[in-house]
Amino acid sequence: MRQGPAVRRRKLGEELRGLRLGVGLTSREAALLVGWNQSKVSRIETGTSGVKPADVARLLDAYGVADQRLRELLGTLADTADGGGRGWWHAYRG
């Protein structure tokens, strides 16, 4: 079964939340480290908002994640969490 973008966003959010909690940060502390509002971190972690690979990299830097394979996997997940930026309707945009 193929997973949709919403499922990928939720999975990415769960992974990021686990990493944040693993280093003992609150979502507010994480937001302060990267210069965002706490609500943005919360939306990313709950999967209600999409996230760019560059934003994932900022969070991973803040969490001290050095594992290159994990960084690549989460970056790829972020890149596909919005369906690659194009929905089924893209072909009919004209």
Side-chain angles (χ1 to χ4, degrees):
M1 181 176 163
R2 186 169 181 247
Q3 294 181 349
V7 173
R8 289 188 290 267
R9 280 195 311 267
R10 285 193 303 268
K11 180 62 178 164
L12 176 60
E14 289 172 11
E15 294 295 327
L16 291 171
R17 182 184 307 112
L19 291 168
R20 175 179 57 76
L21 293 173
V23 295
L25 293 173
T26 66
S27 59
R28 181 178 179 87
E29 292 167 333
L32 288 172
L33 283 173
V34 296
W36 299 340
N37 290 321
Q38 183 274 333
S39 61
K40 180 173 180 173
V41 174
S42 178
R43 287 191 310 269
I44 290 169
E45 289 183 355
T46 59
T48 58
S49 176
V51 60
K52 297 175 184 171
D55 289 342
V56 169
R58 283 179 74 179
L59 288 171
L60 296 176
D61 288 344
Y63 303 160
V65 176
D67 181 337
Q68 193 59 37
R69 182 160 190 243
L70 178 60
R71 292 178 70 94
E72 289 173 11
L73 287 171
L74 295 178
T76 299
L77 192 56
D79 199 30
T80 62
D82 67 353
R86 298 180 179 184
W88 61 266
W89 59 89
H90 185 77
Y92 302 98
R93 71 185 183 277

